[in-house]
Each structure stands twice: as C-alpha cells, then as structure tokens.
Amino acid sequence: MRTVQRPAVTAVLAAAVLLLTAGCSGADGNAPAPTATGGASASPSGDASRPGSGSRAEPPPAKGSVKVVSTLTEDLKSPWGIAALPDGDLLVSSRDEGTITRVDGESGKKTEIGTVAGVAPAGEGGLMGLAVSPSFASDHLVYAYFTTESDNRIARMLYDEKKPAGQQLGAPDTILRGIPKGTVHNGGRIAFGPDKMLYAGTGETGDTGLAQDKKSLGGKILRMTPDGEPVHGNPEADSVVYSYGHRNVQGLAWDSEKRLWAAEFGQNTWDELNQIRPGQNYGWPEVEGKGGKEGFVDPVAQWKTSEASPSGIAYAEGSIWMAGLRGERLWRIPLDGTEPVADPESFLAEEHGRLRTVVAAGGDKLWLVTSETDTRGTPEPGDDRILNLEVK
C-alpha cells in the first residue's frame, strides 16, 4: 500500500548540491567507460551527473539504508530531468508540458522559468533530460534533450534570471539533431562528465536494428563537446557514438574513479546496469541481460523487468542508486571497483509510486523524483514530489 510523504516544514540543508546522474513494457519501459579522456573534475556548477560525491576508500557495506528526511516540493507535473544550479537550487523539466521550473533547494518554492520552444510531447517523448553547462557561472547555459515533430535533439538555452518569471529561457540553440524518435524508447538522459564533455543516453524507438547500426544515433550512449561535436578520443573520430547495442538508456552516472555507469530497460526479461567502456557493444537485440556471448559486454547487474524498469541513477556512498518506474522502488548496488560487493538491495518499495530520477546531493544525500503524473502512474494529491533522502 502506497503511503504519501508530506512536506517537511524545516528547510532542506543545501550544502553545495553536487548531483550525479543521472520506461517500457506495461508500465514504462519494458513491451560503459574506462573513463573518458580528460579526467578534469566537473565544474562546481554541477548537474545531474556530477561525479565525485560519496567517494570512499573502502568498499561499502553489504547492507545499506535509506531514510526519507523530508519532501522538498510537490505538485510537479510529469517531472523528468533535474539539474543543479551553483546556489543549490534545482531545475526540473516537465516532459509533457515542455516547461522548466526552478525549485528552491531549501524552501521548495517553485518558479517556472520558461517553456522550451519546439517540444512535441507524445508517448514517452517530450522534454526530458537537463544539464547545466560546466561554465554556467559565466555562460548561463542550460542544456535539454527533447522530442520535436521530427526527431529527438539536444539544445542549449541562455537562462537570464533578471527577466520576469516564465520568460527567462532564451531560444533553443540546437547542438545535435537527428536522434531517432518514437512513441517509446526515446532515451533522454544527458549529463556532463568529469571530462566536461556532454553525454546522452538514447533509445532505439522500438526499431531494434538501430541499436547495432553504428551510423544511427538510436540505441547508443553519445559523447560530444558542449557544442555537439565529436570528441577527440571517441571510438570513431567523426562520430559522437561512444557505445552501442543499447535498448533504451535513461540513467547515466560516474563513480568516484570517474567510471561511467548506465541503466537501461530490457524487453520482457532483464533490465540492466552496465559499466560503460568506449566502443563496446552491449548486446541489444542479440542479448538481453547476461548472455555470456563473445563480442558483447554483459551487465554488472540485472533485474526482472517487473522489479525495476530503471530510469535515473546516481552514485553516492560507494553505491549506484537506481530509480525504478514499474518496480516502484529504489535499488542500491554496492560496488568494489566495477564489481558488486553484494546483491542489489531495494528500498521504498511501493511507498511513493513510480520513481523517475535520482541524483546525488553531496555526501550521503540524494534527491529522488517520483513519476506518478506521466500517464502511467496513479496520482495522489501532491504528486509528483522531490524527496530528500539520507543513504548509506
């Protein structure tokens, strides 16, 4: 039986929010890297992928814990992506309304900053991932992954806080277009890595052949410069494709050693957590889950699709934390390097409904975003919410 977490009166401590990032079959999503070259730390501006928080010298314990400290805000409509601003406030995208809202990191007060022009919501498409420029303090750029009438694309917009509420977003400047779109499997997560390059998880739109086609941007993890160009050190010099053989990637995060992790939806059998290495083939549609087949990289962990349907992931306290949509729970995968130290643990099962995005907020803190208003949930008064968690 689902319970509702009510907002706390006390303010949430906004200690330099460092965020990491970070469906289909019936309910959303079911019907890898030595690190990138570069290695510079992410900008203090942060975004949903900010690496480095929760790093630890010793492997985490086999058993962890999760405490819901408070509800930061509620009454969000189809929230999808989150990015942190330098002062600890959050930007939240609405998939179906095409808007971006600023949420005060202490009081939870919401202010709509603008609508992203050109968004065409339909099915699982719309305004999805957000990321803040590594140079936000000087360039004030916000990046978004969204669906248009013709494709999925990534654009950046100038955020001018001096303008009136609702009119603070500039026109989208498209940096990458032509990502295949579909009613399902649009991917959508974007994040700046420790190398200050932009990464994106895409889906194969239900056309399974796209995942193995290196010339297609569908069913891939992409790596590009902030201007949308291929990065020196990519597997192919003239391509933004970083890894392939993915079904629908919606979770991206880096661990304390700057290794890239990704979560993706399986079809009917296994959802996956993968450690991403450049140029590697992650198997779809030839393999779902751990197949042990030559030429394909097996996932580090897998779940039945009814227990996961993962979207966002984050790294904190030595573990990957994975939000489940259909599974309606938060998964913890404790790691020693690239290997789990124990079986995945689930927390908050069916307590807050579908869980879309989880992002690290420094130390043992996480933000967790529910997803009951995306047409596949069962909304209750106050949905959707951002919850403040303490984890171990």
Side-chain angles (χ1 to χ4, degrees):
M1 189 75 179
R2 186 178 157 214
T3 60
V4 178
Q5 178 77 17
R6 294 300 176 190
V9 175
T10 55
V12 177
L13 179 63
V17 178
L18 304 176
L19 296 173
L20 267 167
T21 313
C24 324
S25 132
D28 211 303
N30 303 320
T35 72
T37 56
S41 297
S43 160
S45 67
D47 67 39
S49 68
R50 176 81 188 267
S53 81
S55 62
R56 54 198 299 150
E58 299 296 327
K63 298 295 183 181
S65 65
V66 172
K67 177 183 178 181
V68 179
V69 177
S70 63
T71 298
L72 175 64
T73 197
E74 55 182 23
D75 293 316
L76 296 168
K77 302 305 179 187
S78 61
W80 209 103
I82 289 188
L85 295 169
D87 64 359
D89 287 358
L90 305 175
L91 298 180
V92 184
S93 66
S94 170
R95 187 193 70 182
D96 297 338
E97 297 184 352
T99 58
I100 298 178
T101 297
R102 182 170 181 155
V103 177
D104 188 287
E106 294 186 349
S107 69
K109 179 183 177 181
K110 302 188 297 291
T111 304
E112 185 176 308
I113 67 169
T115 299
V116 179
V119 174
E124 293 175 8
L127 178 58
M128 294 176 281
L130 296 179
V132 169
S133 167
S135 304
F136 182 84
S138 58
D139 63 28
H140 306 290
L141 292 175
V142 175
Y143 287 70
Y145 182 119
F146 59 93
T147 310
T148 72
E149 294 291 353
S150 60
D151 64 0
N152 284 302
R153 62 183 59 179
I154 300 171
R156 57 190 176 189
M157 295 154 286
L158 182 65
Y159 175 26
D160 186 349
E161 300 177 37
K162 296 180 181 179
K163 291 187 175 181
Q167 302 174 34
Q168 297 172 342
L169 280 181
D173 171 23
T174 299
I175 66 166
L176 184 71
R177 66 183 73 237
I179 302 170
K181 62 168 281 189
T183 303
V184 296
H185 306 178
N186 288 287
R189 195 71 61 186
I190 57 173
F192 280 97
D195 55 359
K196 299 186 180 181
M197 297 297 110
L198 183 63
Y199 293 72
T202 74
E204 33 78 303
T205 71
D207 182 352
T208 59
L210 296 182
Q212 292 293 322
D213 180 358
K214 293 183 182 180
K215 294 182 180 179
S216 171
L217 298 179
K220 308 294 189 297
I221 292 175
L222 311 177
R223 177 179 179 243
M224 67 201 79
T225 70
D227 296 323
E229 298 297 324
V231 183
H232 177 71
N234 275 5
E236 296 183 16
D238 60 348
S239 174
V240 296
V241 172
Y242 194 65
S243 63
Y244 66 108
H246 300 289
R247 186 170 183 265
N248 190 23
V249 176
Q250 288 189 5
L252 297 173
W254 287 262
D255 63 24
S256 58
E257 298 301 318
K258 303 176 184 177
R259 291 175 291 243
L260 175 59
W261 297 81
E264 68 177 275
F265 295 96
Q267 185 171 32
N268 298 313
T269 309
W270 298 114
D271 293 324
E272 301 179 359
L273 175 69
N274 288 293
Q275 200 273 303
I276 303 301
R277 297 175 293 187
Q280 297 300 298
N281 185 344
Y282 288 80
W284 180 254
E286 304 301 322
V287 182
E288 182 182 357
K290 296 181 179 180
K293 291 188 177 181
E294 185 177 356
F296 302 121
V297 179
D298 277 350
V300 172
Q302 62 184 21
W303 293 261
K304 294 179 181 178
T305 56
S306 61
E307 296 178 346
S309 295
S311 189
I313 64 173
Y315 179 81
E317 295 298 290
S319 297
I320 293 289
W321 301 85
M322 187 178 82
L325 289 162
R326 184 181 175 190
E328 297 189 1
R329 66 199 73 180
L330 180 67
W331 286 97
R332 173 185 183 260
I333 306 93
L335 297 171
D336 183 3
T338 60
E339 297 296 327
V341 300
D343 291 337
E345 283 183 281
S346 72
F347 296 92
L348 310 179
E350 300 182 356
E351 292 183 20
H352 302 281
R354 294 157 54 80
L355 305 179
R356 170 66 68 180
T357 300
V358 56
V359 290
D364 63 354
K365 301 295 192 295
L366 295 176
W367 297 118
L368 180 64
V369 184
T370 67
S371 189
E372 287 289 290
T373 60
D374 67 348
T375 74
R376 288 179 172 174
T378 306
E380 295 183 1
D383 283 330
D384 273 310
R385 299 171 166 80
I386 300 177
L387 306 177
N388 176 34
L389 308 183
E390 287 183 359
V391 301
K392 293 182 180 178

mmCIF file of all heavy atoms in Angstrom, residues 1 7 27 34 46 54 76 106 117 160 166 181 200 224 228-229 247 267 283 291 295 309 336 368 372:
data_model
loop_
_atom_site.group_PDB
_atom_site.id
_atom_site.type_symbol
_atom_site.label_atom_id
_atom_site.label_comp_id
_atom_site.label_asym_id
_atom_site.label_seq_id
_atom_site.Cartn_x
_atom_site.Cartn_y
_atom_site.Cartn_z
ATOM 1 N N MET A 1 0.853 -1.182 0.000
ATOM 2 C CA MET A 1 0.000 0.000 0.000
ATOM 3 C C MET A 1 0.885 1.226 0.000
ATOM 4 O O MET A 1 1.772 1.357 0.819
ATOM 5 C CB MET A 1 -0.881 -0.031 1.238
ATOM 6 C CG MET A 1 -1.969 1.044 1.216
ATOM 7 S SD MET A 1 -3.293 0.625 0.090
ATOM 8 C CE MET A 1 -4.361 2.004 0.303
ATOM 9 N N PRO A 7 5.266 17.185 2.969
ATOM 10 C CA PRO A 7 6.377 18.131 3.014
ATOM 11 C C PRO A 7 6.783 18.426 4.445
ATOM 12 O O PRO A 7 5.960 18.515 5.338
ATOM 13 C CB PRO A 7 5.807 19.390 2.343
ATOM 14 C CG PRO A 7 4.586 18.937 1.612
ATOM 15 C CD PRO A 7 4.073 17.738 2.347
ATOM 16 N N ALA A 27 4.462 -0.769 -17.898
ATOM 17 C CA ALA A 27 4.496 0.468 -17.155
ATOM 18 C C ALA A 27 5.679 1.304 -17.407
ATOM 19 O O ALA A 27 6.032 2.079 -16.604
ATOM 20 C CB ALA A 27 4.391 0.166 -15.709
ATOM 21 N N PRO A 34 35.987 2.840 -19.440
ATOM 22 C CA PRO A 34 37.032 3.403 -18.662
ATOM 23 C C PRO A 34 36.711 4.833 -18.849
ATOM 24 O O PRO A 34 36.104 5.233 -19.777
ATOM 25 C CB PRO A 34 38.325 3.028 -19.327
ATOM 26 C CG PRO A 34 37.962 2.152 -20.447
ATOM 27 C CD PRO A 34 36.487 2.097 -20.510
ATOM 28 N N GLY A 46 27.854 22.045 -11.202
ATOM 29 C CA GLY A 46 27.154 20.779 -11.013
ATOM 30 C C GLY A 46 26.112 20.558 -12.086
ATOM 31 O O GLY A 46 25.720 21.425 -12.824
ATOM 32 N N GLY A 54 30.233 11.160 -2.506
ATOM 33 C CA GLY A 54 30.076 9.838 -1.936
ATOM 34 C C GLY A 54 31.269 8.942 -2.166
ATOM 35 O O GLY A 54 31.169 7.731 -1.997
ATOM 36 N N LEU A 76 4.440 18.668 -8.804
ATOM 37 C CA LEU A 76 5.133 18.763 -10.087
ATOM 38 C C LEU A 76 4.375 17.941 -11.123
ATOM 39 O O LEU A 76 3.808 16.888 -10.804
ATOM 40 C CB LEU A 76 6.563 18.242 -9.964
ATOM 41 C CG LEU A 76 7.496 19.026 -9.040
ATOM 42 C CD1 LEU A 76 8.771 18.232 -8.777
ATOM 43 C CD2 LEU A 76 7.828 20.401 -9.629
ATOM 44 N N GLU A 106 16.102 24.978 -0.554
ATOM 45 C CA GLU A 106 15.815 24.985 0.878
ATOM 46 C C GLU A 106 14.317 24.987 1.156
ATOM 47 O O GLU A 106 13.814 24.167 1.914
ATOM 48 C CB GLU A 106 16.469 26.193 1.546
ATOM 49 C CG GLU A 106 17.990 26.144 1.527
ATOM 50 C CD GLU A 106 18.604 27.283 2.325
ATOM 51 O OE1 GLU A 106 17.847 28.212 2.714
ATOM 52 O OE2 GLU A 106 19.815 27.247 2.562
ATOM 53 N N ALA A 117 10.877 25.959 -26.586
ATOM 54 C CA ALA A 117 10.213 26.013 -27.882
ATOM 55 C C ALA A 117 10.539 24.781 -28.715
ATOM 56 O O ALA A 117 11.673 24.307 -28.732
ATOM 57 C CB ALA A 117 10.650 27.275 -28.627
ATOM 58 N N ASP A 160 18.362 33.643 -18.259
ATOM 59 C CA ASP A 160 18.540 35.008 -17.764
ATOM 60 C C ASP A 160 17.620 35.218 -16.563
ATOM 61 O O ASP A 160 16.417 35.464 -16.713
ATOM 62 C CB ASP A 160 18.219 36.007 -18.869
ATOM 63 C CG ASP A 160 18.535 37.453 -18.468
ATOM 64 O OD1 ASP A 160 18.808 37.690 -17.268
ATOM 65 O OD2 ASP A 160 18.501 38.323 -19.345
ATOM 66 N N GLY A 166 8.898 32.927 -16.102
ATOM 67 C CA GLY A 166 8.237 32.415 -17.291
ATOM 68 C C GLY A 166 8.834 32.893 -18.593
ATOM 69 O O GLY A 166 8.514 32.357 -19.657
ATOM 70 N N LYS A 181 13.268 9.306 -33.070
ATOM 71 C CA LYS A 181 12.186 9.450 -32.106
ATOM 72 C C LYS A 181 11.156 8.350 -32.318
ATOM 73 O O LYS A 181 11.050 7.771 -33.398
ATOM 74 C CB LYS A 181 11.492 10.813 -32.243
ATOM 75 C CG LYS A 181 10.836 11.044 -33.597
ATOM 76 C CD LYS A 181 9.930 12.259 -33.595
ATOM 77 C CE LYS A 181 8.589 11.954 -32.954
ATOM 78 N NZ LYS A 181 7.600 13.054 -33.125
ATOM 79 N N ALA A 200 24.929 11.550 -23.610
ATOM 80 C CA ALA A 200 23.487 11.385 -23.781
ATOM 81 C C ALA A 200 23.153 9.909 -23.955
ATOM 82 O O ALA A 200 23.861 9.180 -24.666
ATOM 83 C CB ALA A 200 22.997 12.172 -25.001
ATOM 84 N N MET A 224 29.961 14.074 -26.685
ATOM 85 C CA MET A 224 30.190 15.206 -27.573
ATOM 86 C C MET A 224 30.752 16.381 -26.789
ATOM 87 O O MET A 224 30.695 16.416 -25.559
ATOM 88 C CB MET A 224 28.872 15.607 -28.250
ATOM 89 C CG MET A 224 27.840 16.184 -27.295
ATOM 90 S SD MET A 224 26.125 16.095 -27.902
ATOM 91 C CE MET A 224 25.750 14.374 -27.551
ATOM 92 N N GLY A 228 28.352 20.084 -29.332
ATOM 93 C CA GLY A 228 27.721 18.997 -30.064
ATOM 94 C C GLY A 228 28.606 18.293 -31.070
ATOM 95 O O GLY A 228 28.128 17.511 -31.899
ATOM 96 N N GLU A 229 29.921 18.515 -31.007
ATOM 97 C CA GLU A 229 30.848 17.915 -31.958
ATOM 98 C C GLU A 229 31.469 16.643 -31.381
ATOM 99 O O GLU A 229 31.574 16.495 -30.160
ATOM 100 C CB GLU A 229 31.962 18.905 -32.306
ATOM 101 C CG GLU A 229 31.479 20.167 -32.981
ATOM 102 C CD GLU A 229 30.819 19.907 -34.320
ATOM 103 O OE1 GLU A 229 31.285 18.986 -35.033
ATOM 104 O OE2 GLU A 229 29.844 20.606 -34.654
ATOM 105 N N ARG A 247 19.188 -0.722 -25.627
ATOM 106 C CA ARG A 247 17.761 -0.678 -25.954
ATOM 107 C C ARG A 247 17.151 0.682 -25.636
ATOM 108 O O ARG A 247 16.496 1.290 -26.479
ATOM 109 C CB ARG A 247 17.007 -1.773 -25.205
ATOM 110 C CG ARG A 247 15.524 -1.902 -25.581
ATOM 111 C CD ARG A 247 14.929 -3.164 -24.975
ATOM 112 N NE ARG A 247 13.550 -3.333 -25.381
ATOM 113 C CZ ARG A 247 12.497 -2.930 -24.664
ATOM 114 N NH1 ARG A 247 12.693 -2.318 -23.503
ATOM 115 N NH2 ARG A 247 11.264 -3.138 -25.091
ATOM 116 N N GLN A 267 13.537 -5.850 -22.327
ATOM 117 C CA GLN A 267 12.253 -6.015 -23.009
ATOM 118 C C GLN A 267 11.261 -6.741 -22.106
ATOM 119 O O GLN A 267 10.414 -6.123 -21.478
ATOM 120 C CB GLN A 267 12.427 -6.767 -24.323
ATOM 121 C CG GLN A 267 11.130 -6.861 -25.120
ATOM 122 C CD GLN A 267 11.332 -7.413 -26.510
ATOM 123 O OE1 GLN A 267 12.203 -8.239 -26.737
ATOM 124 N NE2 GLN A 267 10.539 -6.950 -27.451
ATOM 125 N N GLY A 283 24.973 -5.431 -26.662
ATOM 126 C CA GLY A 283 24.240 -6.632 -26.979
ATOM 127 C C GLY A 283 22.872 -6.554 -27.587
ATOM 128 O O GLY A 283 22.464 -7.478 -28.298
ATOM 129 N N GLY A 291 24.255 -12.667 -21.163
ATOM 130 C CA GLY A 291 24.215 -13.729 -22.157
ATOM 131 C C GLY A 291 25.506 -14.510 -22.281
ATOM 132 O O GLY A 291 25.521 -15.624 -22.796
ATOM 133 N N GLY A 295 31.902 -11.001 -27.887
ATOM 134 C CA GLY A 295 31.669 -9.774 -28.640
ATOM 135 C C GLY A 295 30.705 -8.817 -27.980
ATOM 136 O O GLY A 295 30.559 -7.677 -28.426
ATOM 137 N N SER A 309 12.492 -1.574 -14.301
ATOM 138 C CA SER A 309 12.226 -0.571 -15.330
ATOM 139 C C SER A 309 12.944 0.709 -14.942
ATOM 140 O O SER A 309 12.326 1.716 -14.568
ATOM 141 C CB SER A 309 10.731 -0.339 -15.523
ATOM 142 O OG SER A 309 10.105 -1.481 -16.024
ATOM 143 N N ASP A 336 32.634 -2.574 -5.324
ATOM 144 C CA ASP A 336 34.073 -2.577 -5.063
ATOM 145 C C ASP A 336 34.727 -2.505 -6.426
ATOM 146 O O ASP A 336 34.826 -3.509 -7.129
ATOM 147 C CB ASP A 336 34.488 -3.842 -4.314
ATOM 148 C CG ASP A 336 35.977 -3.847 -3.969
ATOM 149 O OD1 ASP A 336 36.661 -2.848 -4.268
ATOM 150 O OD2 ASP A 336 36.456 -4.858 -3.424
ATOM 151 N N LEU A 368 15.303 12.415 -4.835
ATOM 152 C CA LEU A 368 14.560 11.361 -5.520
ATOM 153 C C LEU A 368 13.265 11.950 -6.051
ATOM 154 O O LEU A 368 12.493 12.563 -5.297
ATOM 155 C CB LEU A 368 14.265 10.208 -4.561
ATOM 156 C CG LEU A 368 13.491 9.014 -5.126
ATOM 157 C CD1 LEU A 368 14.295 8.310 -6.215
ATOM 158 C CD2 LEU A 368 13.122 8.031 -4.015
ATOM 159 N N GLU A 372 4.431 9.822 -10.965
ATOM 160 C CA GLU A 372 3.055 9.329 -10.973
ATOM 161 C C GLU A 372 2.163 10.061 -11.969
ATOM 162 O O GLU A 372 1.072 9.594 -12.284
ATOM 163 C CB GLU A 372 2.458 9.443 -9.568
ATOM 164 C CG GLU A 372 3.011 8.424 -8.586
ATOM 165 C CD GLU A 372 2.511 7.024 -8.904
ATOM 166 O OE1 GLU A 372 1.318 6.750 -8.721
ATOM 167 O OE2 GLU A 372 3.330 6.208 -9.369
#
